[in-house]
Amino acid sequence: MKKWKSLWLVFAIALVAILGACSEKDKQESATQAEKVEPSQAEKSDITIENNGTTQVYKEAPKKAISLNQHVTEIMLALELEDSMVGTAYLDDKIYEPLQVAYDKVPVLAKQYPTKEQVIDAEADFLFGGWKSAFGEKGVGTQEELETLGIHTYLHTASIMTKPTLDDIFADIRNIAKIFRVEDHGEALIEKMTKDVEDIRAKLPQDGEDLPVLVFDSGDKEVFTAGQNIMNELVTMAGGKNIFGDVESGWTTVSKEDAVERNPAVVVVIDYGETSAKAKINFLKNDPALKEMEAVKNERFVILPLSAASEGVRAAEAIQILAKGFYPENF
């Protein structure tokens, strides 16, 4: 009898061991399966983007993107997408310093817009244009034409609309982040930009009238200035008032007489191209009409790089440059 009890005890112990081993094996297999990198639901799903009258359907994130203007290049780099890029183009001035290292990793295809042949040779699957001209006659082709070649396109909406705001820039950033499946990066970038702007605005005078400001891009016989483009928003957020903010267009041409009559207290000089900011200021000081403006008489000039005056990731930097120029005693 004792012998049978012993045998049953041995059998029971063996059975428990086997069951335990099976359970452990199941756990290991389950853990192994959990460790497998499975695409998220967002990565599996098609992304549909309506842009500039086109409908773009992305079955996966682009892998060979080309940015066609500097401010959108900087958006791509700020989203840490340099490894998904095969080219950039059209640099207006120096790249934003925090993005220089990332920028250096991406080939520069052309001083201005690349040719369609260059785009095809690079096997591009996505083109990001900052201005309408990117997909115009002097650009790389229309969005519809490029779609027939299997190349997705996105035209930066904030750059082609009247009276864009920071929220419109954020909407474009969110779309690009969505297309490339890096939504977390997009929200982090927007959060940082928002906080930086809030910190700058907190230093501005909280009472008194806003300074009247003229944005001077260029002009010899007339003045090429900002109406209701992004500069209107940046000047306003920096505590100024764009004297031509009532003009319902983006960049616009006005007469010298009108500029003098509105008499700005500060002139914001947009710096880019072959004519330096210094040369523009010298022109203002020596022009028979424009030198009569209060801003010129008092030599109150603020120099702003074109890349910072665009609808990109430098919005906070632009507002800070403007705010320091408008209210130096507060910074």
Side-chain angles (χ1 to χ4, degrees):
M1 187 68 176
K2 290 181 179 180
K3 180 179 179 182
W4 284 107
K5 285 182 178 180
S6 298
L7 288 172
W8 275 109
L9 181 59
V10 171
F11 176 74
I13 292 171
L15 182 61
V16 169
I18 292 170
L19 289 174
C22 290
S23 177
E24 186 62 30
K25 181 180 179 183
D26 290 342
K27 288 180 182 178
Q28 291 174 354
E29 288 178 351
S30 177
T32 301
Q33 289 173 355
E35 289 172 1
K36 290 180 180 178
V37 179
E38 294 290 343
S40 68
Q41 193 60 40
E43 290 173 326
K44 292 177 181 178
S45 303
D46 290 352
I47 300 295
T48 301
I49 301 290
E50 302 290 337
N51 178 249
N52 195 35
T54 69
T55 300
Q56 309 273 332
V57 180
Y58 297 83
K59 295 186 177 300
E60 61 180 359
K63 295 180 176 62
K64 295 185 176 183
I66 296 174
S67 55
L68 299 172
N69 298 100
Q70 182 169 344
H71 61 298
V72 296
T73 294
E74 292 180 350
I75 287 175
M76 293 284 287
L77 299 178
L79 291 173
E80 301 179 16
L81 293 172
E82 60 269 20
D83 291 339
S84 299
M85 300 174 68
V86 293
T88 66
Y90 230 129
L91 195 68
D92 294 313
D93 46 55
K94 292 181 180 179
I95 202 74
Y96 192 27
E97 187 176 353
L99 303 175
Q100 184 68 55
V101 173
Y103 177 78
D104 290 340
K105 295 179 181 179
V106 185
V108 177
L109 300 183
K111 186 176 181 180
Q112 295 186 353
Y113 291 125
T115 64
K116 193 179 301 180
E117 289 72 22
Q118 286 177 301
V119 169
I120 293 171
D121 287 345
E123 299 180 347
D125 57 5
F126 178 81
L127 299 180
F128 189 5
W131 309 110
K132 278 187 176 181
S133 55
F135 301 120
E137 292 181 1
K138 295 182 180 180
V140 295
T142 67
Q143 290 183 271
E144 293 80 6
E145 180 183 1
L146 292 162
E147 187 71 16
T148 65
L149 297 175
I151 302 173
H152 285 300
T153 57
Y154 188 92
L155 181 57
H156 197 51
T157 304
S159 294
I160 62 171
M161 66 190 301
T162 301
K163 212 169 183 177
T165 66
L166 288 182
D167 285 339
D168 294 313
I169 296 174
F170 295 161
D172 279 314
I173 290 173
R174 285 192 172 99
N175 276 343
I176 297 301
K178 188 176 181 182
I179 289 169
F180 283 85
R181 275 68 166 181
V182 291
E183 289 92 336
D184 289 349
H185 287 0
E187 293 307 316
L189 175 58
I190 290 168
E191 183 178 345
K192 182 181 185 306
M193 290 174 67
T194 301
K195 184 179 184 306
D196 289 346
V197 171
E198 289 173 349
D199 290 345
I200 295 162
R201 286 178 57 78
K203 298 179 183 179
L204 294 174
Q206 301 303 309
D207 53 9
E209 294 185 3
D210 294 332
L211 286 175
V213 175
L214 169 67
V215 177
F216 183 76
D217 177 283
S218 57
D220 181 5
K221 296 180 180 179
E222 294 183 297
V223 175
F224 190 55
T225 186
Q228 294 182 3
N229 62 16
I230 194 62
M231 279 304 303
N232 190 64
E233 170 87 339
L234 298 177
V235 166
T236 299
M237 298 199 79
K241 181 180 180 181
N242 176 17
I243 62 173
F244 290 105
D246 60 332
V247 178
E248 294 185 4
S249 63
W251 291 101
T252 187
T253 300
V254 300
S255 69
K256 292 180 182 179
E257 291 74 20
D258 199 359
V260 173
E261 183 178 347
R262 299 193 184 201
N263 198 25
V266 181
V267 175
V268 175
V269 178
I270 306 300
D271 189 16
Y272 71 98
E274 295 179 357
T275 304
S276 68
K278 183 178 179 180
K280 292 179 182 181
I281 291 172
N282 285 335
F283 166 76
L284 292 169
K285 287 181 176 181
N286 291 286
D287 183 82
L290 298 175
K291 70 179 183 180
E292 297 302 320
M293 295 188 298
E294 179 185 341
V296 178
K297 287 181 178 180
N298 295 330
E299 297 194 12
R300 292 203 62 186
F301 303 105
V302 180
I303 298 173
L304 188 68
L306 178 61
S307 51
S310 302
E311 298 80 357
V313 298
R314 296 201 203 187
E317 180 194 50
I319 292 170
Q320 182 166 8
I321 291 171
L322 295 174
K324 282 185 176 180
F326 297 168
Y327 305 100
E329 65 278 7
N330 289 62
F331 290 87

